[in-house]
Amino acid sequence: MRFVKANPNEYLVVGRGGRISNRGVAASAFLWPGSTHVLIPSTQQEATFEMTQESKDSIPLRFKGIIIYRIVDAAAAARRFNFTSGKGHEQINDLLSHVCLGELRAVVAHLTMDECITQRKTTLTDAVATALRQVIQGREGDEGWGIALEVVQVAQVFIVDQALRRQLEAEVRNAIRVKSELSEIHTGEGIKLAQTASERRLQQENLETEREKIRTSEAIKLAQAASERRLQQENLETERDKVRISGETFRLRQDLEREQIEAQTPIQLYRIEQEREVLKQQLEKLPLELRVKELLAQVNLAADKAKQDLRKEILPLEQSPAVAQALAGILRGVQLSVVGPETPLLAALTPLLNSLVRVVQQGQPDATAVGKEP
């Protein structure tokens, strides 16, 4: 048994017993006797094509293109191409070039020189790419070539005849110059037109701005007027509500007062009745109180009179020592000589002395009685 191994950029395809199997990239395997294998590169491959073809207006043109592809189905590619000798990619490149040249000739024959040059990346490239994909994908039920196209492009288109090319280049330069001058003229006109349009647009915008300001001002005034009217209306409604509320409040207050009066009337009547009874009792009691006061006044008056009478009776007794002392002071050191029975001085002092003695004798018991008086 042999041992084979593929590199990281190679597919390992093994065939045995009429069957082909792709072991994958960087795969390894032991081969049984009678088995074969092939290593197929998985890297990107490049194919080119180049040809000369007259355009529809009989001008010979040179075309160059490029194709970049890679193998995605190694088993299908191994069935169609011989990779044993290392010429599998050469066979694929040749077939791709032939397909591109055939399709490109058919398309260029129906295009003018200008169309071929201007439509190099569109019409020509799309036609070549479409033809290649139809070929490599195969018919229905066919596995195809096992490759995938990554880039298909008609890279260059140039004129073969040098004199014609110089002439065309001169015409192109003149045309470019004319176009440039016309472009400058058109650009200047465009600038002027743009300036005019800009000025007109600015004027229009200014006019619209002024109109908008006027409309805004009018709208503000209308809004203010409406707001004032609304405020006046609201104030009027508020005043009406206040008046209505005041009326309701006054009516409710009257009703409440009436209800209170109606509710308090029995109580007040009862109170009046009670007060009348009290007053009646007071009127009935008043004469008795007056009688009591009169009696008290009489008692007080009698007591005061008794006190005064008692004071009158006691006053001589209270003053008798002072009188005696005064009399003693008067008669102190006086030597009386009574000559005859009718002496005037003695006659004047005798009643006084008698009266003093009598008062003293009579007043002694009364004083003791007064001291015991309650």
Side-chain angles (χ1 to χ4, degrees), residues 251-294:
R251 185 168 61 255
L252 292 174
R253 187 180 293 110
Q254 288 182 343
D255 294 340
L256 181 60
E257 291 177 355
R258 185 169 59 254
E259 291 177 357
Q260 290 178 351
I261 292 171
E262 292 176 356
Q264 293 178 358
T265 298
I267 299 173
Q268 292 179 354
L269 292 176
Y270 178 76
R271 289 178 179 175
I272 293 172
E273 186 66 24
Q274 293 294 323
E275 291 176 357
R276 186 172 63 184
E277 291 295 330
V278 172
L279 292 175
K280 183 177 179 181
Q281 293 177 1
Q282 290 178 353
L283 288 175
E284 292 176 354
K285 185 179 178 181
L286 184 60
L288 297 176
E289 292 179 352
L290 292 175
R291 182 61 181 167
V292 170
K293 289 180 179 181
E294 290 178 357

Side-chain angles (χ1 to χ4, degrees), residues 41-179:
S42 61
T43 57
Q44 291 181 340
Q45 303 295 321
E46 179 179 346
T48 60
F49 59 90
E50 184 176 355
M51 73 169 190
T52 301
Q53 175 66 32
E54 289 185 358
S55 61
K56 183 179 179 180
D57 49 2
S58 302
I59 297 176
L61 300 175
R62 190 70 177 172
F63 297 90
K64 290 184 179 181
I66 184 174
I67 304 167
I68 297 176
Y69 67 94
R70 61 185 177 87
I71 295 176
V72 293
D73 188 350
R79 291 188 186 95
R80 289 184 174 272
F81 306 102
N82 185 10
F83 289 94
T84 305
S85 60
K87 295 182 178 181
H89 283 298
E90 294 181 2
Q91 295 175 4
I92 295 173
N93 294 343
D94 291 340
L95 291 175
L96 292 177
S97 298
H98 293 325
V99 172
C100 292
L101 293 176
E103 184 64 25
L104 194 58
R105 290 181 189 278
V107 175
V108 172
H110 296 84
L111 298 176
T112 63
M113 179 194 68
D114 291 336
E115 292 174 344
C116 291
I117 295 173
T118 56
Q119 300 179 16
R120 173 180 62 84
K121 292 184 177 181
T122 55
T123 304
L124 299 181
T125 298
D126 292 342
V128 171
T130 302
L132 286 175
R133 288 189 176 90
Q134 290 177 355
V135 171
I136 64 176
Q137 289 176 359
R139 299 177 182 177
E140 186 177 357
D142 189 0
E143 62 184 358
W145 291 10
I147 66 174
L149 298 177
E150 295 187 354
V151 176
V152 177
Q153 184 179 8
V154 178
Q156 295 180 356
V157 178
F158 54 90
I159 301 171
V160 178
D161 190 351
Q162 297 296 330
L164 180 59
R165 185 172 64 186
R166 286 193 294 271
Q167 181 181 354
L168 292 175
E169 289 176 353
E171 292 178 357
V172 170
R173 284 195 296 271
N174 292 331
I176 292 173
R177 186 181 301 109
V178 172
K179 288 182 180 180

Side-chain angles (χ1 to χ4, degrees), residues 287-307:
L288 297 176
E289 292 179 352
L290 292 175
R291 182 61 181 167
V292 170
K293 289 180 179 181
E294 290 178 357
L295 293 175
L296 292 175
Q298 292 176 1
V299 170
N300 294 329
L301 183 61
D304 292 337
K305 185 176 180 182
K307 288 179 179 181

